[in-house]
Amino acid sequence: MALETLDTRGLLCPLPVIRTQDAIRDLSAGTLLEVTASDAGTLEDIPAWCRVHGHELVSTEEFEEDAQRGRIYRFMIRVVAD
């Protein structure tokens, strides 16, 4: 199974979701996409986008990268064929 990564840290809504959508458009069904983000809004936006578009949200993680960079959110999304 292929794993792709997408770093959207530093981008604000709606850019993390737009970049996720653009990345998934080029991926095959079954591919895992790891998305990292720094915008807290992605905690609601990415799962909602997955539900609407039929992709599987495998996991969501939240952690502090370091004191200066703040919280980071990591999503694992399995691409489902259209």
Side-chain angles (χ1 to χ4, degrees):
M1 180 178 319
L3 173 65
E4 298 289 331
T5 61
L6 176 64
D7 185 353
T8 67
R9 290 176 290 184
L11 300 178
L12 299 176
C13 182
L15 288 176
V17 173
I18 291 169
R19 297 279 168 86
T20 298
Q21 180 172 303
D22 290 346
I24 284 180
R25 195 174 287 136
D26 297 330
L27 300 177
S28 302
T31 301
L32 280 175
L33 177 63
E34 176 187 69
V35 179
T36 54
S38 54
D39 181 2
T42 58
L43 287 171
E44 293 183 21
D45 296 343
I46 297 284
W49 183 87
C50 288
R51 278 191 306 278
V52 167
H53 294 279
H55 299 291
E56 178 187 356
L57 181 62
V58 175
S59 66
T60 301
E61 294 179 81
E62 181 178 345
F63 56 94
E64 187 152 341
E65 188 172 43
D66 61 43
Q68 291 182 337
R69 295 185 196 180
R71 308 240 13 114
I72 298 297
Y73 312 98
R74 181 180 300 143
F75 305 91
M76 293 298 291
I77 302 168
R78 186 179 326 278
V79 178
V80 177
D82 292 331

